[in-house]
Amino acid sequence: MPSQIVSLVVNGERREFIAVPGATLLASLRESLGLTAAKRGCAQGACGTCTVLVDGRPEVACLVAVETVAGREVRTLEGVAAGGELDEVQSAFVDCFATQCGFCTAGMIMVAEALLERDPDPSEEDVVEAISGNVCRCTGYRPIVIAILEAARRRRAKSPQEEAVAR
Amino acid sequence: MTDRLAPTYRLAPIDTSTFADERAAAGTGVDGGGDFTVIGSVVQRSDARGHVTGRTEFFEDVAPARLAHLKMHRSDRHHARILDVDLSEALAVPGVLRILTHADIPNNLYTPLKLIGVGPDDEPILAVDKVRYLGEPICAVVAETEAAALEGAARVRVAYEDLPPVFDVEEALKEGAPLVNEYHGQNHFIYEGHHCRRIRFGDVEAAFARADHVFEWRYQSAPIEQAPAETTGCVVVPQADGRLRIHSDTQACFFTLDNTALILETPFNKLRIVGGTVGGGFGGKVDVVVEPVACVAAMATDRPVKFVYDRAEEMQVSSPRAAERIYIKDAVMADGRIIGRKVTLYVDAGAYARHTPYGTTKAAAHLPGPYSIPNVWADCHCVFTNRTPSSAMRGFGVTIADFALESQMDRIARALDLDPLRLRLLNAYRDGDLKAHRKVAEGTALVEVIQKAAEMAGHELPEAYRRMSSTTREGL
Ligand code: FES
Ligand code: FES
């Protein structure tokens, strides 16, 4: 099977690259596109460190064959900080001490972004459910859950009108 | 809108008054007006911004041009002689550049603690004539792609003659047990001519004879894998000036540099380690297991080489916390005073020493716990078995010992129907006590810590116990 040219919309930009047969979305992002925020913790769908958003949904990029998502919208952590400003999730992770070694952080933040996109006012249970596919070995999950709830609060505080519409 | 963060989910705000007295006493800090302003204030991690933006560079985020990949062919036996290694099929795999065996490693035999004078060298970088644990590295396949390296590694053929393995620490020490590691010559580490690390203090046998009760229990732990989120690995990049730049997630940059230089038989200044960013380590990334062979591969191919464990390797062959078996026998008086403690500890080093001789010494140093016991006897064995070599992990040597010692205290309290806190207060060391290691205890605080914990937990202590102090033996 020959390599093929794959095109994705990554963080809002159309990117084209050559993918060898069987190349994963994770390998394509990291090796072909130089986007290394998503991490390889296990390469077998078990840890969530490679999580990115495909059309807004969290996916473990290590299990996605890149040709199966050709043409789709992919969002990585690199696409989150607009103009160098931290967004609410990122700043809450910093302020709530939700990152230690940082290896799980990209996956955790992407899952949180997808959750808050879907539900601006999640319960603690919703957050726990959302990060249930993401392993953190250092921080402990509690500060991460708190950070995501805090991010939701900050985002709601920032856009009360939007929240009113959402309700 | 209901604030769902309140009250149970909210981070307890940091109470800046906590250390106010200390700051005032020191005449510095927020209250004292000096520049010592950290205690009681919120200090952010310096690396947090990099983590939340994805800009922190982990070793595997470097992508040098012409990067080659290394995968290991590993032993599928616990204990076996190697009769033959056939590389022909592996070399025929398209993309395979080179296969390294023990003959390619300048100084194939090492032990990581040789830097502090611990010997003998007991572990090959790549197996020579024998494998001593399941997953031991035998040869390293270097290839254009990860897939080719994996395929090459899978096509190495090794002919073995199985040897009887031994997996149990006490079995390993029995007469006639299979010899695990010839470099030691017996299945235990030798400490300055002794078969184990020992403590001899007072006369435990006399204490047992005199005691109202003798309690003996056995404790055991399994090996524990650190399981960091990021697996062990490195990328080695040959430099134009002939030096090697090693991007590694080691927890011990200089230790790794020095050991690697010894293994490569190269001056230290030929190597440069770029590290310090570790995706979780917990002690599991202090053995020098990937850098030396990746360096040899980089030199042999004159290309950058990546050697990183996959998750299965991390779980199977990276060194865990040692399994331990501990027997504790205590001579106890009716009022709860412990007058003698005898401990026999077996630490499972696995097939090679790594950091376990040191861990065993730490365990010995930790006995008999934070208690003043007038008669103590301990034998702490560092034992070789055909299991994965164990090494460092958070408080290795002491954590499992504490589990055993404090379980023992609770069991004694239960057996004598005593309050477990009072039992500990009765036996806790005080300033000025001579410890079993013949050091005088100073700055002890166990008594106060227990009193405070009891108070916080609403656990009633009689007046006499509340008046106890670490600085006097009053009330004992
Ligand atoms: S690397 Fe994808 S789930 Fe672990
Ligand atoms: S911060 Fe290290 S794994 Fe989560």
Side-chain angles (χ1 to χ4, degrees):
Chain A
M1 214 164 88
S3 293
Q4 52 175 303
I5 295 174
V6 175
S7 147
L8 300 174
V9 180
V10 183
N11 300 328
E13 243 180 79
R14 182 161 293 278
R15 303 287 302 266
E16 275 188 359
F17 55 94
I18 296 173
V20 297
T24 62
L25 175 57
L26 181 63
S28 303
L29 290 170
R30 292 179 54 85
E31 289 155 31
S32 304
L33 301 177
L35 296 169
T36 55
K39 302 294 180 220
R40 177 205 56 85
C42 70
Q44 55 194 28
C47 75
T49 59
C50 63
T51 306
V52 299
L53 307 187
V54 178
D55 290 342
R57 278 176 45 97
E59 298 277 1
V60 280
C62 69
L63 290 189
V64 175
V66 72
E67 61 259 36
T68 65
V69 293
R72 313 260 290 273
E73 295 258 358
V74 175
R75 192 152 173 241
T76 71
L77 182 55
E78 285 95 339
V80 168
E85 286 256 325
L86 301 186
D87 85 345
E88 297 81 10
V89 181
Q90 291 170 315
S91 68
F93 266 63
V94 172
D95 296 341
C96 300
F97 296 90
T99 174
Q100 284 188 21
C101 82
F103 204 76
C104 69
T105 308
M108 291 287 185
I109 290 181
M110 295 321 289
V111 164
E113 296 288 355
L115 171 69
L116 300 191
E117 204 60 29
R118 206 168 68 231
D119 179 1
D121 190 11
S123 67
E124 183 176 22
E125 291 70 33
D126 297 334
V127 174
V128 168
E129 164 96 46
I131 65 166
S132 61
N134 293 63
V135 172
C136 176
R137 290 288 294 160
C138 313
T139 308
Y141 298 101
R142 187 160 176 75
I144 295 172
V145 171
I146 290 168
I148 296 172
L149 292 166
E150 171 65 12
R153 196 187 61 77
R154 289 181 185 184
R155 198 168 278 183
R156 291 196 306 271
K158 205 178 110 190
S159 52
Q161 316 89 314
E162 280 171 44
E163 203 203 13
V165 174
R167 276 161 188 255
Chain B
M1 184 189 90
T2 54
D3 186 354
R4 293 227 200 141
L5 288 174
T8 51
Y9 306 142
R10 195 186 293 280
L11 263 180
I14 292 174
D15 180 359
T16 53
S17 68
T18 306
F19 297 103
D21 292 349
E22 285 79 354
R23 283 201 302 268
T28 57
V30 180
D31 303 332
D35 54 4
F36 182 56
T37 56
V38 171
I39 291 175
S41 61
V42 179
V43 178
Q44 204 28 269
R45 297 180 60 96
S46 62
D47 54 2
R49 206 185 158 89
H51 293 348
V52 301
T53 54
R55 293 208 186 106
T56 300
E57 188 174 80
F58 291 85
F59 87 89
E60 214 183 346
D61 298 338
V62 290
R66 301 181 69 238
L67 181 66
H69 300 260
L70 187 155
K71 290 286 169 189
M72 205 54 90
H73 179 88
R74 297 181 178 280
S75 160
D76 61 8
R77 309 298 164 97
H78 294 288
H79 195 194
R81 222 178 294 290
I82 296 177
L83 302 178
D84 182 54
V85 178
D86 179 0
L87 303 179
S88 53
E89 253 188 76
L91 285 166
V93 171
V96 168
L97 299 166
R98 182 74 198 253
I99 302 181
L100 305 174
T101 68
H102 65 87
D104 296 297
I105 311 295
N107 190 0
N108 192 49
L109 202 63
Y110 85 118
T111 191
L113 287 179
K114 72 195 297 175
L115 296 171
I116 56 166
V118 175
D121 285 344
D122 72 340
E123 179 167 3
I125 301 294
L126 294 173
V128 183
D129 46 9
K130 199 180 147 172
V131 288
R132 298 177 177 85
Y133 68 97
L134 187 74
E136 179 159 0
I138 300 174
C139 47
V141 179
V142 191
E144 292 285 354
T145 63
E146 197 180 345
L150 272 173
E151 166 121 29
R155 287 178 186 270
V156 171
R157 300 281 170 252
V158 179
Y160 298 100
E161 177 195 327
D162 280 315
L163 296 167
V166 58
F167 301 121
D168 182 272
V169 282
E170 288 181 87
E171 292 293 323
L173 293 181
K174 282 190 184 145
E175 193 77 35
L179 180 61
V180 175
N181 190 315
E182 292 73 9
Y183 299 105
H184 291 278
Q186 67 287 311
N187 287 341
H188 59 84
F189 188 81
I190 294 188
Y191 289 94
E192 286 103 35
H194 298 289
H195 68 292
C196 63
R197 266 284 176 237
R198 304 163 313 145
I199 304 171
R200 301 290 185 265
F201 183 66
D203 183 349
V204 274
E205 294 309 327
F208 290 129
R210 188 157 66 81
D212 295 326
H213 305 274
V214 174
F215 297 107
E216 181 171 17
W217 286 294
R218 170 192 193 264
Y219 304 88
Q220 177 157 311
S221 69
I224 301 170
E225 167 55 37
Q226 300 84 355
E230 175 203 43
T231 61
T232 302
C234 67
V235 173
V236 178
V237 188
Q239 304 293 287
D241 61 4
R243 297 166 83 203
L244 295 175
R245 192 175 75 223
I246 306 168
H247 299 263
S248 168
D249 63 2
T250 176
Q251 287 175 255
C253 289
F254 293 100
F255 185 77
T256 296
L257 186 145
D258 291 354
N259 266 308
T260 303
L262 292 175
I263 290 161
L264 300 181
E265 286 178 346
T266 190
F268 300 133
N269 65 5
K270 290 279 183 210
L271 306 177
R272 179 178 160 218
I273 299 237
V274 181
T277 301
V278 183
F282 322 116
K285 290 175 178 163
V286 297
D287 294 350
V288 189
V289 284
V290 287
E291 295 84 359
V293 71
C295 284
V296 174
M299 293 191 295
T301 57
D302 198 24
R303 288 177 61 162
V305 170
K306 175 155 89 175
F307 178 19
V308 56
Y309 282 2
D310 63 26
R311 180 51 59 185
E313 283 175 303
E314 190 70 35
M315 302 308 279
Q316 172 69 43
V317 303
S318 81
S319 50
R321 180 196 293 283
E324 294 182 30
R325 185 172 302 155
I326 309 178
Y327 294 88
I328 307 177
K329 183 175 174 185
D330 285 341
V332 188
M333 302 311 282
D335 64 0
R337 273 176 306 121
I338 303 172
I339 59 165
R341 174 164 280 179
K342 181 173 181 177
V343 181
T344 309
L345 163 74
Y346 302 94
V347 182
D348 191 344
Y352 298 106
R354 303 262 179 110
H355 290 75
T356 303
Y358 168 70
T360 308
T361 296
K362 276 173 73 187
H366 200 62
L367 300 174
Y371 305 108
S372 283
I373 299 176
N375 303 287
V376 178
W377 181 104
D379 267 4
C380 304
H381 305 263
C382 170
V383 187
F384 300 110
T385 66
N386 293 107
R387 298 178 78 182
T388 308
S390 61
S391 198
M393 181 176 180
R394 317 192 80 161
F396 65 126
V398 305
T399 313
I400 306 297
D402 272 336
F403 149 73
L405 290 167
E406 297 311 322
S407 300
Q408 179 86 1
M409 296 302 279
D410 285 342
R411 291 167 98 169
I412 292 170
R414 218 172 296 139
L416 298 182
D417 201 19
L418 293 173
D419 172 0
L421 294 192
R422 284 196 240 167
L423 175 71
R424 286 172 171 88
L425 285 168
L426 208 55
N427 290 288
Y429 56 5
R430 279 21 180 209
D431 281 358
D433 285 356
L434 182 64
K435 300 210 281 185
H437 316 89
R438 294 172 181 76
K439 286 231 161 65
V440 175
E442 304 169 33
T444 61
L446 180 60
V447 171
E448 289 73 14
V449 168
I450 293 173
Q451 288 165 336
K452 184 76 184 168
E455 184 193 314
M456 290 170 81
H459 181 103
E460 292 272 325
L461 288 175
E463 175 65 15
Y465 285 82
R466 275 184 282 137
R467 278 211 320 271
M468 286 178 173
S469 152
S470 282
T471 56
T472 70
R473 298 198 60 80
E474 239 166 79
L476 290 178

